[in-house]
Structure formats: structure tokens, C-alpha cells
Amino acid sequence: MILEMNNIRKSFDSLEVLKDISLSVDSGEVVSIIGPSGSGKSTLLRCATLLEQVDGGEIRYLGRAACTEENGAPRYASPSELKELRRAFGLVFQSFNLFPHYSVLKNVMEAPMLVQKRNKEEVRATAMGLLEKMGLESKCDAYPCQLSGGQQQRVAIARALCLKPEILFFDEPTSALDPELTGEVLKVIKQLAEENMTMVIVTHEMPFARAVSDRVIFMDGGVIVEQGEPEEVFGNPRQERTKQFLRNYEP
């Protein structure tokens, strides 16, 4: 088990965004999270990747606790332990989040060298291999402003993979892209799925989620309404709310 989240709760002021959510992800599994805007999908990812602190519940990576609950309150691991646990995951944002003043290659190499203290030549070889895999080896000296949105997102994926994570999170990776560029990025994610990369993908691309996932989770109102294999959730949903949502996404 790479990720376990148990009884996660999160509010912003009086707005309860996550209501007692539990989620686990096995090695090699691809989990897609779908649902309407405001359902809590991105907040769940931000809690999983320790960008937001939960109000209650438990988060574990590879069996090690990042957060436990004591007397109804969250207790996070020490900063040094959290730094270690952060090595387990990578995150690809919807808005790329590349450093504009760094070249493509430096964007990909920076974190493994700075955070993981890895050897420069080893990191460079890994980074170039990843850029080649993304079809971007000729762009290694370019800057983000010289790339299309699809190319920038593929650089962001290469950057996340260069950290050699156990699990990769995607937060609506195609929402900032037009349909043509969306296809470029989805093709890369599909290839990663075929290579058994463990992934959690928040997406509004329903045909893609159906094709690439081992499990689909439908969220609404801060809870998991339904989850199962893609053909179950898309082809024969049990919950009326799921049916209602999917009517807008007829293939």
C-alpha cells in the first residue's frame, strides 16, 4: 500500500470541504477522481500532498505516518520525517508551475539536486532521458515562455518523474489546455499507466478516466459518493447522483 488516507476532514472557515473521506492506493494502481467543481477533489489532493493541513484523520505513505489523529486533532510527523515522506510522491499542477527564469533542463534537474542532494551527472542523465520520453529533448535549453502549454505540462511531468516518486498526483493536468494540446498530455499519462506508474488523477476528461484507470472515484459535496472499476462507474453507476453527473458526459 503506497497511500492510505483515513477519515480525512477539512474545513475552510465554516465550509466543510472534506467530510470523513478514506482512500487507499496500491502500487501500480491508477485512480481517477471525478466530480463537479467544488466537490473537494483538489483539496483532497492538496491534503494528500501535505500542501494543506487536515482538521482530522490519518495519512500514511508506505506504512509510515505523515499525520495521525490524537484526541480529535491532527498530529503531523516532525519536519525531518515529513521531508523524507515527501520523497514518496510527485505532484503535477494544472498551471504547470515551472520556473520562468530556468531553462527546461534546469527546471527538471533543480529539485533532485537541491532537495535530494543527488549527483549532478546522474540527475542530468535522468532528466535528459525523461525529456526524450516526453518528445522534448530538443527543447532542453528553451525557456517555459518559448513552449506551448502542452509542452510546458510535459516538462512539469518530467520534473515530477525526475524525483523518482512512488506515486504521482495530477490535479486537472489538462484544464489549462486547448483540446489539441490536451491530447499530447493525456498520451504521456496513458504511457505512464502502461508502465505501471502509480497515479492519482483529478480530471474532467471522462473518456480518458474510463480508458486509463483501474479505479474511478466520484466525489460530490465533500464525500465519496461512489467508486469502482471504470466500467462499473461509467457503464452502470449505482448512485443517482453519479448517474445525474455522468449524463453530461455521454461518450
Side-chain angles (χ1 to χ4, degrees), residues 54-211:
V54 300
D55 297 328
E58 178 183 73
I59 302 170
R60 291 182 181 274
Y61 280 98
L62 302 167
R64 296 169 61 190
C67 177
T68 54
E69 186 165 348
E70 290 183 10
N71 302 318
R75 180 178 176 273
Y76 277 83
S78 69
S80 60
E81 287 175 289
L82 290 177
K83 186 178 178 182
E84 277 293 307
L85 290 172
R86 282 190 175 94
R87 292 181 176 223
F89 59 80
L91 175 59
V92 178
F93 299 89
Q94 55 184 291
S95 54
F96 324 138
N97 285 23
L98 300 176
F99 294 113
H101 55 297
Y102 284 178
S103 69
V104 163
L105 183 59
K106 190 169 183 183
N107 262 287
V108 177
M109 290 179 62
E110 188 75 355
M113 288 170 52
L114 207 64
V115 179
Q116 296 180 336
K117 311 296 184 194
R118 282 160 50 197
N119 173 272
K120 183 177 180 178
E121 290 311 310
E122 179 263 323
V123 170
R124 183 185 174 86
T126 302
M128 287 304 295
L130 287 166
L131 288 173
E132 186 177 347
K133 184 175 181 174
M134 301 292 153
L136 293 170
E137 66 272 29
S138 65
K139 302 287 187 183
C140 64
D141 294 323
Y143 287 82
C145 65
Q146 298 171 305
L147 305 180
S148 71
Q151 290 170 329
Q152 289 186 60
Q153 192 60 296
R154 282 182 281 152
V155 173
I157 295 170
R159 178 179 61 180
L161 287 170
C162 202
L163 290 162
K164 300 185 176 180
E166 300 284 342
I167 182 171
L168 202 49
F169 294 92
F170 292 86
D171 186 8
E172 300 201 4
T174 59
S175 66
L177 304 176
D178 67 35
E180 189 175 5
L181 300 179
T182 291
E184 293 178 11
V185 173
L186 296 183
K187 184 179 174 185
V188 167
I189 299 173
K190 191 168 189 291
Q191 184 184 349
L192 292 174
E194 288 166 358
E195 295 168 1
N196 292 320
M197 182 75 206
T198 310
M199 295 184 283
V200 177
I201 307 164
V202 169
T203 183
H204 56 267
E205 300 287 343
M206 298 301 137
F208 172 74
R210 187 171 189 164

Side-chain angles (χ1 to χ4, degrees), residues 1-4 23-31 166-167 196-200 214-215:
M1 191 77 66
I2 290 186
L3 170 66
E4 294 174 79
L23 164 72
S24 63
V25 183
D26 278 327
S27 178
E29 192 175 21
V30 178
V31 178
E166 300 284 342
I167 182 171
N196 292 320
M197 182 75 206
T198 310
M199 295 184 283
V200 177
D214 297 301
R215 181 158 44 105

Side-chain angles (χ1 to χ4, degrees), residues 8-26:
I8 298 297
R9 303 183 302 283
K10 176 68 180 175
S11 297
F12 294 105
D13 298 323
S14 60
L15 180 65
E16 203 177 1
V17 181
L18 299 176
K19 306 170 184 176
D20 197 32
I21 283 196
S22 295
L23 164 72
S24 63
V25 183
D26 278 327

